[in-house]
Amino acid sequence: MAGCRLWVSLLLAAALASSATAVWPWPQYIQTYHRRYTLYPNNFQFRYHAASAAQAGCVVLDEAFRRYRNLLFGSGSWPRPSFSRKQLILGKNVLVVSVITAECNEFPNLESVENCLETFSQLVWKSAEGTFFINKTKIKDFPRFPHRGILLDTSRHYLPLSSILDTLDVMAYNKFNVFHWHLVDDSSFPYESFTFPELTRKGSYNPVTHIYTAQDVKEVIEYARLRGIRVLAEFDTPGHTLSWGPGVPGLLTPCYSGSRPSGTFGPVNPSLNSTYDFMSTFFLEISSVFPDFYLHLGGDEVDFTCWRSNPNIEAFMKKKGFSDFKQLESFYIQTLLDIVSDYDKGYVVWQEVFDNKVKVRPDTIIQVWREEIPVDYMKEMEEITKAGFRALLSAPWYLNRVTYGPDWKDMYKVEPLAFHGTSEQKGLVIGGEACMWGEYVDSTNLVPRLWPRAGAIAERLWSSNLTTNMDFAFKRLSHFRCEMLRRGVQAQPISVGYCEQEFEQT
Amino acid sequence: MRPSPHRTPELLLALLALAAQASAQQTPALWPWPRSVKVSPELLNIAPENFLISHGPNSTADPSCSLLQEAFRRYYNYIFGFYKRHHGPANFQGGAQLEQLQVSITLQSQCDSFPTVSSDESYSLLVQGPVAFLKANRVWGALRGLETFSQLVYQDSYGAFTINKSIITDSPRFAHRGILIDTSRHYLPVKTILKTLDAMAFNKFNVLHWHIVDDQSFPYQSTAFPELSNKGSYSLSHVYTPRDVQMVLEYARFQGIRVIPEFDTPGHTQSWGKGQKDLLTPCYIEKKETERVGPINPTLNTTYTFFNTFFNEISSVFPDEFIHLGGDEVDFQCWSSNPNIQDFMQKKGFGKNFKRLESFYIKNILDIITSLKKGSIVWQEVFDDKVELQPDTVVEVWKNENYLAKLEEVTFSGFKAILSAPWYLDIISYGQDWKKYYTVEPLKFDGSVKQKQLVIGGEACLWGEYVDATNLIPRLWPRASAVGERLWSPETVIDIDDAYSRLVRHRCRMVSRGIAAQPLYTGHCGH
């Protein structure tokens, strides 16, 4: 991963000024000076360095230049500054961008330059008179963890495409780089599959309005790519799959009451060959639709009561010689993992897969979400990395859970590597995710519930482990939330106070 | 305070006729649930282009009543969604049609007045083809009835607007049904306040308790003391100008909502100090004056001169007969540190009892308010600290521990009470906390009938420490709706499952009317 170096030493001089209190997350290395420079919106340019591997025509950067120009100065036209001739020569404001390896048309990792631009945009401030300034600043920056994610749940409640795209924008402001898209679950199946269109036709809340078409998915992926964000799609099985049932008869296990099917259904039926044929075809589609190397296969909270009630499952277990349902679960998941690896994909799974001792490939990523069970989440991190697997932390970062007061502080204070283990083990922690489950969240309250609380996690995952001063964080986060408001993000307050530009009701 | 349901003999007859037919029918998603509802399975179709809301021939109101004219237009738009979902010319298969809703006011309309605590909000609604009748004694009941009527109309699976023949008689259980907003901890743009008033009307709330100033900022622009907001507001754009206030007052009036301003003293007043010299008490450390200031200085004559002028302005700006005077959480530390206060206490014979000083102060303020011909509402501490109150002072119970016992105590002393203790909506938690608010029974205390009648209502409070325009609406709605039904509907309306199924649909209706009300639980709205 390439780092970000930002040497702001533009031309033009000025007097003393305030320092970089709005920078969030805090860079690895930053030095600010009192010396400040004026930026003239009409004159300011982003420019490629002559030696840069990326040059004009690099879509990711061309788009980013335009985006950040608008974020900095607004999209309005600015009057030409009236300089004397001498000043005019000095008035060329340029941010020179140089990229070592381009990858303009690839999917992320091209995040580093993106993140540079974000930092740069946070350094610019506006005086009371409306003049834009930037202080002389030296920054060298790189993320502490490579996987910094936000999970959105579009099954419990459908989120309109615009909510997702807006979230991607704000993720970029916070230097998040993974959008974990929990697309489907028990409640609804909004992903429109072209191989199995019945899934959405029968499993979505509304097969016309509450679905994600192929075009929608493409748009999310490209929008994310332009912001240096990966899209990690989750299709959670064998539990959490009730909405799959209506569209694929025979996929789910019929539950029995006594000797008869009760009419209700449980997890995916692991005893039928047809199940694996289906999954094989389905995941072939998914592997081609989602370009990221990783897929999230879920595997959490499998309820065994329905399996236990079903005589066919019982017979299958007997045949296979399974004595407990964890073995059956393992059997299912192993078969699924084999299918997905055949498509040259890596996978992420929830911690139960590890807890239930499913045999998985050594490069599997295990996501820790349970705070206490079976063990404290830090202990779980220790055990997963001890077993040699890579780990993602999200247990302390369930943003859907709300309490009164500044709960961002607790999330901020989490140290993901605070477990007993070798440095090798710690190296296996690739990052974490802030999760916004959707039971009580839809587009009416998503944004204020997410921001700036997720920002606390963004800084924990990006900045150095030494960036822990709460007062400093509070000051910057307050400032940064106002900056988000200025950019049109409905980010809620973290304490009493005000922003120059408040959120305006539409 | 609780008007009896208004029923005409003709309605009674029709009601009996319908009662026989009322069968297994999905209940309409009425919220809050009316006092009496009879819904017939017989359907009427409504064609937007062939439907109007108009004044009944015998109504005391006519098109010169802009309050009703505006309401007619508003509810027409709510019902038909601004034609957004209209599929061109309607093509009914000859079903019965509803073509008109006639609104009749039977007594003096009060069209141009402001609503008061004794305003009559009762109404009756007879839905039949081709003309439906909404009758109310005053415009206030008509507003509530229009809301109910709009909630009865739905679109069938072909998109046709439909309504069941029905008979509804309705009146509120409690006269005071309020929402508290706090514009000091965070400034709320006027637009957000107006949106809140819209949503309040959807839930039949009738009081906006405007906690307008507090320690953090003083956004109210006073004409008599402009320095208060010049120096005490967060910024010069974070103020409510007289024009802003007028706009809120008039907008609220049009929805039948009272606006009760709160100017909380003597505590919670840090922001006043910046624009009004010597108003606050200087705090001392070891006999030395510090930069810090505490509550209002109750020892100076200038304090009372100031408040006389200030409340004179307030009582003319805000038309409501009540002003909320606060009086909560007075911190005695600063007062006790100040030698001048100590001298004053000695002179007055208060000894070391600062509650007596507080009482002295509040008594003076209450007298000022009385002299301005206004009534006072105070937080419960004023009662707890045994301040001598006026007989018509209203006590608001906000402390959560034993609030029912407190209601008993307050009403036993003969004072009117408002309950807000169990309804602090700024305290959030995970899950369906609306149920907690819904299951509160405000009169579940030991006391005489007379005592219970002294409980005039309640308020859902959304304090502003962590709330501003970004999250106010989804945090308030539909959680406050639970309080809305508790305060409006009969005490027998307590079935939580029925409430859930209605509230889910009510929240979707709010969303379709532009209120970003958050979900109760997993699911979706039709749009």
Side-chain angles (χ1 to χ4, degrees), chain A residues 157 439 442 445 481 490 492 495 497 502 505, chain B residues 186 192 238 468 470-471 507 518 521 523:
Chain A
H157 284 99
E439 282 86 348
D442 69 4
N445 57 356
R481 109 92 190 173
Q490 200 177 336
Q492 71 180 10
S495 179
E502 301 287 0
Q505 215 79 45
Chain B
H186 285 99
T192 302
H238 290 77
D468 70 2
T470 62
N471 57 356
R507 101 99 185 169
Q518 69 181 10
Y521 189 58

mmCIF file with all atom_site columns, all heavy atoms in Angstrom, chain A residues 157 439 442 445 481 490 492 495 497 502 505, chain B residues 186 192 238 468 470-471 507 518 521 523:
data_model
loop_
_atom_site.group_PDB
_atom_site.id
_atom_site.type_symbol
_atom_site.label_atom_id
_atom_site.label_alt_id
_atom_site.label_comp_id
_atom_site.label_asym_id
_atom_site.label_entity_id
_atom_site.label_seq_id
_atom_site.pdbx_PDB_ins_code
_atom_site.Cartn_x
_atom_site.Cartn_y
_atom_site.Cartn_z
_atom_site.occupancy
_atom_site.B_iso_or_equiv
_atom_site.pdbx_formal_charge
_atom_site.auth_seq_id
_atom_site.auth_comp_id
_atom_site.auth_asym_id
_atom_site.auth_atom_id
_atom_site.pdbx_PDB_model_num
ATOM 1   N N   . HIS A 1 157 ? -34.450 -3.315 6.589  1.00 0.00 ? 157 HIS A N   1
ATOM 2   C CA  . HIS A 1 157 ? -35.111 -2.216 5.900  1.00 0.00 ? 157 HIS A CA  1
ATOM 3   C C   . HIS A 1 157 ? -34.367 -1.980 4.577  1.00 0.00 ? 157 HIS A C   1
ATOM 4   O O   . HIS A 1 157 ? -33.154 -2.031 4.530  1.00 0.00 ? 157 HIS A O   1
ATOM 5   C CB  . HIS A 1 157 ? -35.081 -0.932 6.731  1.00 0.00 ? 157 HIS A CB  1
ATOM 6   C CG  . HIS A 1 157 ? -36.058 -0.940 7.862  1.00 0.00 ? 157 HIS A CG  1
ATOM 7   N ND1 . HIS A 1 157 ? -35.688 -1.231 9.152  1.00 0.00 ? 157 HIS A ND1 1
ATOM 8   C CD2 . HIS A 1 157 ? -37.391 -0.725 7.897  1.00 0.00 ? 157 HIS A CD2 1
ATOM 9   C CE1 . HIS A 1 157 ? -36.773 -1.169 9.940  1.00 0.00 ? 157 HIS A CE1 1
ATOM 10  N NE2 . HIS A 1 157 ? -37.814 -0.870 9.200  1.00 0.00 ? 157 HIS A NE2 1
ATOM 11  N N   . GLU A 1 439 ? -32.596 -3.427 11.993 1.00 0.00 ? 439 GLU A N   1
ATOM 12  C CA  . GLU A 1 439 ? -33.907 -3.660 12.635 1.00 0.00 ? 439 GLU A CA  1
ATOM 13  C C   . GLU A 1 439 ? -34.648 -2.359 12.887 1.00 0.00 ? 439 GLU A C   1
ATOM 14  O O   . GLU A 1 439 ? -35.866 -2.278 12.719 1.00 0.00 ? 439 GLU A O   1
ATOM 15  C CB  . GLU A 1 439 ? -33.750 -4.399 13.962 1.00 0.00 ? 439 GLU A CB  1
ATOM 16  C CG  . GLU A 1 439 ? -33.501 -5.888 13.838 1.00 0.00 ? 439 GLU A CG  1
ATOM 17  C CD  . GLU A 1 439 ? -32.028 -6.219 13.659 1.00 0.00 ? 439 GLU A CD  1
ATOM 18  O OE1 . GLU A 1 439 ? -31.219 -5.291 13.406 1.00 0.00 ? 439 GLU A OE1 1
ATOM 19  O OE2 . GLU A 1 439 ? -31.676 -7.400 13.771 1.00 0.00 ? 439 GLU A OE2 1
ATOM 20  N N   . ASP A 1 442 ? -33.677 2.846  8.992  1.00 0.00 ? 442 ASP A N   1
ATOM 21  C CA  . ASP A 1 442 ? -33.881 2.957  7.554  1.00 0.00 ? 442 ASP A CA  1
ATOM 22  C C   . ASP A 1 442 ? -33.420 4.342  7.115  1.00 0.00 ? 442 ASP A C   1
ATOM 23  O O   . ASP A 1 442 ? -32.697 5.017  7.867  1.00 0.00 ? 442 ASP A O   1
ATOM 24  C CB  . ASP A 1 442 ? -35.332 2.645  7.165  1.00 0.00 ? 442 ASP A CB  1
ATOM 25  C CG  . ASP A 1 442 ? -36.316 3.697  7.630  1.00 0.00 ? 442 ASP A CG  1
ATOM 26  O OD1 . ASP A 1 442 ? -35.882 4.725  8.195  1.00 0.00 ? 442 ASP A OD1 1
ATOM 27  O OD2 . ASP A 1 442 ? -37.524 3.496  7.436  1.00 0.00 ? 442 ASP A OD2 1
ATOM 28  N N   . ASN A 1 445 ? -33.409 7.547  9.537  1.00 0.00 ? 445 ASN A N   1
ATOM 29  C CA  . ASN A 1 445 ? -32.504 7.819  10.668 1.00 0.00 ? 445 ASN A CA  1
ATOM 30  C C   . ASN A 1 445 ? -31.086 7.301  10.481 1.00 0.00 ? 445 ASN A C   1
ATOM 31  O O   . ASN A 1 445 ? -30.253 7.453  11.373 1.00 0.00 ? 445 ASN A O   1
ATOM 32  C CB  . ASN A 1 445 ? -33.100 7.238  11.962 1.00 0.00 ? 445 ASN A CB  1
ATOM 33  C CG  . ASN A 1 445 ? -33.374 5.744  11.879 1.00 0.00 ? 445 ASN A CG  1
ATOM 34  O OD1 . ASN A 1 445 ? -33.198 5.138  10.828 1.00 0.00 ? 445 ASN A OD1 1
ATOM 35  N ND2 . ASN A 1 445 ? -33.799 5.147  12.981 1.00 0.00 ? 445 ASN A ND2 1
ATOM 36  N N   . ARG A 1 481 ? -17.454 17.177 12.573 1.00 0.00 ? 481 ARG A N   1
ATOM 37  C CA  . ARG A 1 481 ? -18.891 16.978 12.328 1.00 0.00 ? 481 ARG A CA  1
ATOM 38  C C   . ARG A 1 481 ? -19.485 18.251 11.710 1.00 0.00 ? 481 ARG A C   1
ATOM 39  O O   . ARG A 1 481 ? -20.348 18.171 10.845 1.00 0.00 ? 481 ARG A O   1
ATOM 40  C CB  . ARG A 1 481 ? -19.568 16.505 13.587 1.00 0.00 ? 481 ARG A CB  1
ATOM 41  C CG  . ARG A 1 481 ? -20.484 17.368 14.362 1.00 0.00 ? 481 ARG A CG  1
ATOM 42  C CD  . ARG A 1 481 ? -21.936 17.338 14.098 1.00 0.00 ? 481 ARG A CD  1
ATOM 43  N NE  . ARG A 1 481 ? -22.483 18.477 14.849 1.00 0.00 ? 481 ARG A NE  1
ATOM 44  C CZ  . ARG A 1 481 ? -23.718 18.908 14.793 1.00 0.00 ? 481 ARG A CZ  1
ATOM 45  N NH1 . ARG A 1 481 ? -24.590 18.325 14.029 1.00 0.00 ? 481 ARG A NH1 1
ATOM 46  N NH2 . ARG A 1 481 ? -24.075 19.946 15.499 1.00 0.00 ? 481 ARG A NH2 1
ATOM 47  N N   . GLN A 1 490 ? -25.978 14.882 7.235  1.00 0.00 ? 490 GLN A N   1
ATOM 48  C CA  . GLN A 1 490 ? -26.844 15.082 8.401  1.00 0.00 ? 490 GLN A CA  1
ATOM 49  C C   . GLN A 1 490 ? -26.234 14.418 9.630  1.00 0.00 ? 490 GLN A C   1
ATOM 50  O O   . GLN A 1 490 ? -26.833 13.517 10.218 1.00 0.00 ? 490 GLN A O   1
ATOM 51  C CB  . GLN A 1 490 ? -28.200 14.463 8.044  1.00 0.00 ? 490 GLN A CB  1
ATOM 52  C CG  . GLN A 1 490 ? -29.377 14.924 8.842  1.00 0.00 ? 490 GLN A CG  1
ATOM 53  C CD  . GLN A 1 490 ? -30.649 14.280 8.329  1.00 0.00 ? 490 GLN A CD  1
ATOM 54  O OE1 . GLN A 1 490 ? -30.725 13.878 7.175  1.00 0.00 ? 490 GLN A OE1 1
ATOM 55  N NE2 . GLN A 1 490 ? -31.647 14.180 9.176  1.00 0.00 ? 490 GLN A NE2 1
ATOM 56  N N   . GLN A 1 492 ? -25.114 13.994 13.424 1.00 0.00 ? 492 GLN A N   1
ATOM 57  C CA  . GLN A 1 492 ? -25.719 14.517 14.655 1.00 0.00 ? 492 GLN A CA  1
ATOM 58  C C   . GLN A 1 492 ? -24.666 15.093 15.603 1.00 0.00 ? 492 GLN A C   1
ATOM 59  O O   . GLN A 1 492 ? -23.479 14.812 15.486 1.00 0.00 ? 492 GLN A O   1
ATOM 60  C CB  . GLN A 1 492 ? -26.549 13.430 15.340 1.00 0.00 ? 492 GLN A CB  1
ATOM 61  C CG  . GLN A 1 492 ? -25.736 12.309 15.967 1.00 0.00 ? 492 GLN A CG  1
ATOM 62  C CD  . GLN A 1 492 ? -26.621 11.251 16.629 1.00 0.00 ? 492 GLN A CD  1
ATOM 63  O OE1 . GLN A 1 492 ? -27.830 11.245 16.476 1.00 0.00 ? 492 GLN A OE1 1
ATOM 64  N NE2 . GLN A 1 492 ? -25.995 10.362 17.375 1.00 0.00 ? 492 GLN A NE2 1
ATOM 65  N N   . SER A 1 495 ? -22.270 16.910 21.427 1.00 0.00 ? 495 SER A N   1
ATOM 66  C CA  . SER A 1 495 ? -22.395 17.638 22.680 1.00 0.00 ? 495 SER A CA  1
ATOM 67  C C   . SER A 1 495 ? -23.185 18.910 22.391 1.00 0.00 ? 495 SER A C   1
ATOM 68  O O   . SER A 1 495 ? -23.654 19.089 21.275 1.00 0.00 ? 495 SER A O   1
ATOM 69  C CB  . SER A 1 495 ? -21.004 17.987 23.206 1.00 0.00 ? 495 SER A CB  1
ATOM 70  O OG  . SER A 1 495 ? -21.120 18.723 24.404 1.00 0.00 ? 495 SER A OG  1
ATOM 71  N N   . GLY A 1 497 ? -23.696 22.907 21.613 1.00 0.00 ? 497 GLY A N   1
ATOM 72  C CA  . GLY A 1 497 ? -22.902 23.798 20.774 1.00 0.00 ? 497 GLY A CA  1
ATOM 73  C C   . GLY A 1 497 ? -23.575 24.061 19.454 1.00 0.00 ? 497 GLY A C   1
ATOM 74  O O   . GLY A 1 497 ? -24.771 23.814 19.303 1.00 0.00 ? 497 GLY A O   1
ATOM 75  N N   . GLU A 1 502 ? -25.755 25.093 9.949  1.00 0.00 ? 502 GLU A N   1
ATOM 76  C CA  . GLU A 1 502 ? -26.548 24.014 10.527 1.00 0.00 ? 502 GLU A CA  1
ATOM 77  C C   . GLU A 1 502 ? -27.219 23.215 9.417  1.00 0.00 ? 502 GLU A C   1
ATOM 78  O O   . GLU A 1 502 ? -27.313 23.663 8.280  1.00 0.00 ? 502 GLU A O   1
ATOM 79  C CB  . GLU A 1 502 ? -27.612 24.581 11.467 1.00 0.00 ? 502 GLU A CB  1
ATOM 80  C CG  . GLU A 1 502 ? -27.073 25.392 12.631 1.00 0.00 ? 502 GLU A CG  1
ATOM 81  C CD  . GLU A 1 502 ? -26.415 24.534 13.707 1.00 0.00 ? 502 GLU A CD  1
ATOM 82  O OE1 . GLU A 1 502 ? -26.367 23.300 13.562 1.00 0.00 ? 502 GLU A OE1 1
ATOM 83  O OE2 . GLU A 1 502 ? -25.930 25.121 14.698 1.00 0.00 ? 502 GLU A OE2 1
ATOM 84  N N   . GLN A 1 505 ? -33.521 21.617 7.061  1.00 0.00 ? 505 GLN A N   1
ATOM 85  C CA  . GLN A 1 505 ? -34.614 20.713 6.720  1.00 0.00 ? 505 GLN A CA  1
ATOM 86  C C   . GLN A 1 505 ? -35.050 20.941 5.273  1.00 0.00 ? 505 GLN A C   1
ATOM 87  O O   . GLN A 1 505 ? -35.078 22.071 4.821  1.00 0.00 ? 505 GLN A O   1
ATOM 88  C CB  . GLN A 1 505 ? -35.783 21.048 7.643  1.00 0.00 ? 505 GLN A CB  1
ATOM 89  C CG  . GLN A 1 505 ? -36.601 19.880 8.073  1.00 0.00 ? 505 GLN A CG  1
ATOM 90  C CD  . GLN A 1 505 ? -35.925 19.108 9.184  1.00 0.00 ? 505 GLN A CD  1
ATOM 91  O OE1 . GLN A 1 505 ? -35.423 19.699 10.120 1.00 0.00 ? 505 GLN A OE1 1
ATOM 92  N NE2 . GLN A 1 505 ? -35.901 17.802 9.075  1.00 0.00 ? 505 GLN A NE2 1
ATOM 93  N N   . HIS B 2 186 ? -28.993 23.259 21.492 1.00 0.00 ? 186 HIS B N   1
ATOM 94  C CA  . HIS B 2 186 ? -28.720 23.412 20.065 1.00 0.00 ? 186 HIS B CA  1
ATOM 95  C C   . HIS B 2 186 ? -29.797 24.292 19.466 1.00 0.00 ? 186 HIS B C   1
ATOM 96  O O   . HIS B 2 186 ? -30.969 24.161 19.806 1.00 0.00 ? 186 HIS B O   1
ATOM 97  C CB  . HIS B 2 186 ? -28.712 22.054 19.348 1.00 0.00 ? 186 HIS B CB  1
ATOM 98  C CG  . HIS B 2 186 ? -27.487 21.253 19.613 1.00 0.00 ? 186 HIS B CG  1
ATOM 99  N ND1 . HIS B 2 186 ? -27.447 20.246 20.539 1.00 0.00 ? 186 HIS B ND1 1
ATOM 100 C CD2 . HIS B 2 186 ? -26.234 21.335 19.090 1.00 0.00 ? 186 HIS B CD2 1
ATOM 101 C CE1 . HIS B 2 186 ? -26.228 19.735 20.582 1.00 0.00 ? 186 HIS B CE1 1
ATOM 102 N NE2 . HIS B 2 186 ? -25.466 20.362 19.706 1.00 0.00 ? 186 HIS B NE2 1
ATOM 103 N N   . THR B 2 192 ? -37.282 23.537 11.022 1.00 0.00 ? 192 THR B N   1
ATOM 104 C CA  . THR B 2 192 ? -37.390 22.320 11.825 1.00 0.00 ? 192 THR B CA  1
ATOM 105 C C   . THR B 2 192 ? -38.537 22.439 12.829 1.00 0.00 ? 192 THR B C   1
ATOM 106 O O   . THR B 2 192 ? -39.261 21.477 13.083 1.00 0.00 ? 192 THR B O   1
ATOM 107 C CB  . THR B 2 192 ? -36.062 22.066 12.561 1.00 0.00 ? 192 THR B CB  1
ATOM 108 O OG1 . THR B 2 192 ? -35.026 21.953 11.595 1.00 0.00 ? 192 THR B OG1 1
ATOM 109 C CG2 . THR B 2 192 ? -36.114 20.796 13.388 1.00 0.00 ? 192 THR B CG2 1
ATOM 110 N N   . HIS B 2 238 ? -27.785 32.480 14.779 1.00 0.00 ? 238 HIS B N   1
ATOM 111 C CA  . HIS B 2 238 ? -28.496 31.499 15.608 1.00 0.00 ? 238 HIS B CA  1
ATOM 112 C C   . HIS B 2 238 ? -29.466 32.198 16.552 1.00 0.00 ? 238 HIS B C   1
ATOM 113 O O   . HIS B 2 238 ? -29.403 32.021 17.770 1.00 0.00 ? 238 HIS B O   1
ATOM 114 C CB  . HIS B 2 238 ? -27.499 30.652 16.394 1.00 0.00 ? 238 HIS B CB  1
ATOM 115 C CG  . HIS B 2 238 ? -26.700 29.707 15.542 1.00 0.00 ? 238 HIS B CG  1
ATOM 116 N ND1 . HIS B 2 238 ? -25.649 30.125 14.771 1.00 0.00 ? 238 HIS B ND1 1
ATOM 117 C CD2 . HIS B 2 238 ? -26.799 28.379 15.330 1.00 0.00 ? 238 HIS B CD2 1
ATOM 118 C CE1 . HIS B 2 238 ? -25.138 29.081 14.127 1.00 0.00 ? 238 HIS B CE1 1
ATOM 119 N NE2 . HIS B 2 238 ? -25.820 28.005 14.443 1.00 0.00 ? 238 HIS B NE2 1
ATOM 120 N N   . ASP B 2 468 ? -30.126 18.068 17.489 1.00 0.00 ? 468 ASP B N   1
ATOM 121 C CA  . ASP B 2 468 ? -30.308 19.288 16.713 1.00 0.00 ? 468 ASP B CA  1
ATOM 122 C C   . ASP B 2 468 ? -31.103 18.940 15.459 1.00 0.00 ? 468 ASP B C   1
ATOM 123 O O   . ASP B 2 468 ? -31.728 17.870 15.398 1.00 0.00 ? 468 ASP B O   1
ATOM 124 C CB  . ASP B 2 468 ? -28.971 19.977 16.414 1.00 0.00 ? 468 ASP B CB  1
ATOM 125 C CG  . ASP B 2 468 ? -28.118 19.217 15.425 1.00 0.00 ? 468 ASP B CG  1
ATOM 126 O OD1 . ASP B 2 468 ? -28.561 18.164 14.925 1.00 0.00 ? 468 ASP B OD1 1
ATOM 127 O OD2 . ASP B 2 468 ? -26.994 19.667 15.146 1.00 0.00 ? 468 ASP B OD2 1
ATOM 128 N N   . THR B 2 470 ? -30.348 17.792 12.783 1.00 0.00 ? 470 THR B N   1
ATOM 129 C CA  . THR B 2 470 ? -29.960 16.591 12.038 1.00 0.00 ? 470 THR B CA  1
ATOM 130 C C   . THR B 2 470 ? -30.725 15.355 12.512 1.00 0.00 ? 470 THR B C   1
ATOM 131 O O   . THR B 2 470 ? -30.985 14.457 11.734 1.00 0.00 ? 470 THR B O   1
ATOM 132 C CB  . THR B 2 470 ? -28.457 16.277 12.204 1.00 0.00 ? 470 THR B CB  1
ATOM 133 O OG1 . THR B 2 470 ? -28.180 16.024 13.595 1.00 0.00 ? 470 THR B OG1 1
ATOM 134 C CG2 . THR B 2 470 ? -27.599 17.427 11.723 1.00 0.00 ? 470 THR B CG2 1
ATOM 135 N N   . ASN B 2 471 ? -31.064 15.298 13.804 1.00 0.00 ? 471 ASN B N   1
ATOM 136 C CA  . ASN B 2 471 ? -31.662 14.059 14.307 1.00 0.00 ? 471 ASN B CA  1
ATOM 137 C C   . ASN B 2 471 ? -32.971 14.253 15.060 1.00 0.00 ? 471 ASN B C   1
ATOM 138 O O   . ASN B 2 471 ? -33.544 13.291 15.564 1.00 0.00 ? 471 ASN B O   1
ATOM 139 C CB  . ASN B 2 471 ? -30.648 13.311 15.191 1.00 0.00 ? 471 ASN B CB  1
ATOM 140 C CG  . ASN B 2 471 ? -30.142 14.148 16.349 1.00 0.00 ? 471 ASN B CG  1
ATOM 141 O OD1 . ASN B 2 471 ? -30.480 15.327 16.479 1.00 0.00 ? 471 ASN B OD1 1
ATOM 142 N ND2 . ASN B 2 471 ? -29.329 13.559 17.199 1.00 0.00 ? 471 ASN B ND2 1
ATOM 143 N N   . ARG B 2 507 ? -46.777 5.585  11.173 1.00 0.00 ? 507 ARG B N   1
ATOM 144 C CA  . ARG B 2 507 ? -45.446 6.140  10.905 1.00 0.00 ? 507 ARG B CA  1
ATOM 145 C C   . ARG B 2 507 ? -45.187 6.198  9.396  1.00 0.00 ? 507 ARG B C   1
ATOM 146 O O   . ARG B 2 507 ? -44.598 7.152  8.906  1.00 0.00 ? 507 ARG B O   1
ATOM 147 C CB  . ARG B 2 507 ? -44.370 5.366  11.669 1.00 0.00 ? 507 ARG B CB  1
ATOM 148 C CG  . ARG B 2 507 ? -43.581 4.356  10.916 1.00 0.00 ? 507 ARG B CG  1
ATOM 149 C CD  . ARG B 2 507 ? -42.204 4.859  10.444 1.00 0.00 ? 507 ARG B CD  1
ATOM 150 N NE  . ARG B 2 507 ? -41.618 3.800  9.620  1.00 0.00 ? 507 ARG B NE  1
ATOM 151 C CZ  . ARG B 2 507 ? -40.549 3.898  8.872  1.00 0.00 ? 507 ARG B CZ  1
ATOM 152 N NH1 . ARG B 2 507 ? -39.866 5.006  8.821  1.00 0.00 ? 507 ARG B NH1 1
ATOM 153 N NH2 . ARG B 2 507 ? -40.136 2.887  8.164  1.00 0.00 ? 507 ARG B NH2 1
ATOM 154 N N   . GLN B 2 518 ? -38.769 7.556  12.246 1.00 0.00 ? 518 GLN B N   1
ATOM 155 C CA  . GLN B 2 518 ? -37.963 6.341  12.146 1.00 0.00 ? 518 GLN B CA  1
ATOM 156 C C   . GLN B 2 518 ? -38.817 5.082  12.290 1.00 0.00 ? 518 GLN B C   1
ATOM 157 O O   . GLN B 2 518 ? -39.938 5.136  12.786 1.00 0.00 ? 518 GLN B O   1
ATOM 158 C CB  . GLN B 2 518 ? -36.830 6.365  13.164 1.00 0.00 ? 518 GLN B CB  1
ATOM 159 C CG  . GLN B 2 518 ? -37.288 6.230  14.612 1.00 0.00 ? 518 GLN B CG  1
ATOM 160 C CD  . GLN B 2 518 ? -36.118 6.278  15.587 1.00 0.00 ? 518 GLN B CD  1
ATOM 161 O OE1 . GLN B 2 518 ? -34.997 6.595  15.226 1.00 0.00 ? 518 GLN B OE1 1
ATOM 162 N NE2 . GLN B 2 518 ? -36.388 5.967  16.837 1.00 0.00 ? 518 GLN B NE2 1
ATOM 163 N N   . TYR B 2 521 ? -39.779 -1.104 13.788 1.00 0.00 ? 521 TYR B N   1
ATOM 164 C CA  . TYR B 2 521 ? -39.107 -2.388 13.721 1.00 0.00 ? 521 TYR B CA  1
ATOM 165 C C   . TYR B 2 521 ? -38.953 -2.727 12.241 1.00 0.00 ? 521 TYR B C   1
ATOM 166 O O   . TYR B 2 521 ? -39.414 -1.994 11.371 1.00 0.00 ? 521 TYR B O   1
ATOM 167 C CB  . TYR B 2 521 ? -39.928 -3.454 14.478 1.00 0.00 ? 521 TYR B CB  1
ATOM 168 C CG  . TYR B 2 521 ? -39.186 -4.754 14.643 1.00 0.00 ? 521 TYR B CG  1
ATOM 169 C CD1 . TYR B 2 521 ? -37.954 -4.776 15.291 1.00 0.00 ? 521 TYR B CD1 1
ATOM 170 C CD2 . TYR B 2 521 ? -39.693 -5.950 14.142 1.00 0.00 ? 521 TYR B CD2 1
ATOM 171 C CE1 . TYR B 2 521 ? -37.255 -5.964 15.425 1.00 0.00 ? 521 TYR B CE1 1
ATOM 172 C CE2 . TYR B 2 521 ? -38.994 -7.140 14.281 1.00 0.00 ? 521 TYR B CE2 1
ATOM 173 C CZ  . TYR B 2 521 ? -37.774 -7.140 14.915 1.00 0.00 ? 521 TYR B CZ  1
ATOM 174 O OH  . TYR B 2 521 ? -37.079 -8.304 15.046 1.00 0.00 ? 521 TYR B OH  1
ATOM 175 N N   . GLY B 2 523 ? -39.230 -3.952 8.517  1.00 0.00 ? 523 GLY B N   1
ATOM 176 C CA  . GLY B 2 523 ? -40.373 -3.885 7.618  1.00 0.00 ? 523 GLY B CA  1
ATOM 177 C C   . GLY B 2 523 ? -40.191 -2.800 6.584  1.00 0.00 ? 523 GLY B C   1
ATOM 178 O O   . GLY B 2 523 ? -39.082 -2.325 6.367  1.00 0.00 ? 523 GLY B O   1
#
